[in-house]
């Protein structure tokens, strides 16, 4: 890709509904590479390899697999070396739902495996914060939160609750991006917000 080509358009959101794409996405290293691209923005295979501590050749292979399924796209070259290949996530948000995969054993098993892999990565991310929290300083330690809530809801109420939480978080995401674009960068860091809501019985 050269500077004369238009910048690829990112989708605002994409819902994965086919098992082939979900399998491609669900490889542990691809999850890590995709997640790194979301946070870091356009990157080369070499930069990503350094971030995920893997060989460049292996990362390049997995980037091609993600690209084959439209999960990432080539980005504008961010350096003076036109030979470098830059990548970016193809969408701002990516989702997949059990309902789209429940009708086949392979689909249901793949969905469960990918969700478990994502939960494991989120746990690793939070454990890293716990290991390093002393270095973040008092302001960040006070601002950070780990909470557990219990509500008695029906499915419609849970659906509405999730929609309202998502909308609120989206508002803060957009406010943060706008403030940063306007030059208000002091004290800003990447913030992970993990949400899980599900029924259970005792």
């Amino acid at each position: 890709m050269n500077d004369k080509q238009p910048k690829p358009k990112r989708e605002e959101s994409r819902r994965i509904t086919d098992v082939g794409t979900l399998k491609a996405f669900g490889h542990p290293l691809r999850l890590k590479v995709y997640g790194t691209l979301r946070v870091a923005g356009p990157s080369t295979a070499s930069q990503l390899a350094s971030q995920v501590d893997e060989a460049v050749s292996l990362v390049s292979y997995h980037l091609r697999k993600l690209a084959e399924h439209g999960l990432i796209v080539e980005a504008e070259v961010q350096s003076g070396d036109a030979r470098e290949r830059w990548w970016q996530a193809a969408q701002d948000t990516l989702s997949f739902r059990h309902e789209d995969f429940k009708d086949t054993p392979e689909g249901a098993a793949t969905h469960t495996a990918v969700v478990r892999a994502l939960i494991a990565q989120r746990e690793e991310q939070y454990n890293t914060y716990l290991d390093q929290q002393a270095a973040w300083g008092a302001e960040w330690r006070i601002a950070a939160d780990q909470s557990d809530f219990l509500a008695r809801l029906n499915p419609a109420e849970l659906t509405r609750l999730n929609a309202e939480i998502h909308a609120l978080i989206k508002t803060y995401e957009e406010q943060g991006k706008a403030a940063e674009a306007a030059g208000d960068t002091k004290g800003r860091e990447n913030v992970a917000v993990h949400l899980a809501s599900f029924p259970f019985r005792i």
Side-chain angles (χ1 to χ4, degrees), residues 56-175:
V56 175
S57 58
L58 182 61
V59 170
S60 294
Y61 168 78
H62 287 296
L63 284 168
R64 289 194 299 272
K65 290 299 180 182
L66 289 168
E68 284 175 13
H69 290 270
L71 296 166
I72 64 171
V73 292
E74 285 195 60
E76 287 182 353
V77 174
Q78 308 287 311
S79 68
D81 188 351
R83 296 170 300 174
E84 287 187 319
R85 200 172 189 183
W86 290 74
W87 298 96
Q88 65 183 9
Q91 51 280 306
D92 291 328
T93 59
L94 194 62
S95 65
F96 43 93
R97 306 289 294 181
H98 177 263
E99 290 302 302
D100 294 321
F101 300 96
K102 65 179 176 58
D103 292 335
T104 67
E106 180 188 25
T110 299
H111 178 269
T112 299
V114 174
V115 172
R116 289 187 191 279
L118 282 170
I119 290 172
Q121 286 198 358
R122 290 168 187 165
E123 182 180 11
E124 179 183 358
Q125 185 180 44
Y126 188 62
N127 281 329
T128 298
Y129 164 72
L130 292 177
D131 291 340
Q132 300 173 353
Q133 61 183 328
W136 279 101
E139 283 186 326
W140 277 110
R141 290 196 301 273
I142 292 168
D145 181 59
Q146 172 61 38
S147 300
D148 180 27
F149 301 95
L150 176 62
R152 294 282 294 176
L153 305 175
N154 62 36
E157 290 166 341
L158 179 55
T159 299
R160 191 164 65 249
L161 171 64
N162 286 329
E164 291 175 6
I165 292 172
H166 290 190
L168 178 61
I169 294 171
K170 187 68 175 176
T171 297
Y172 275 88
E173 285 180 347
E174 292 171 354
Q175 286 178 359

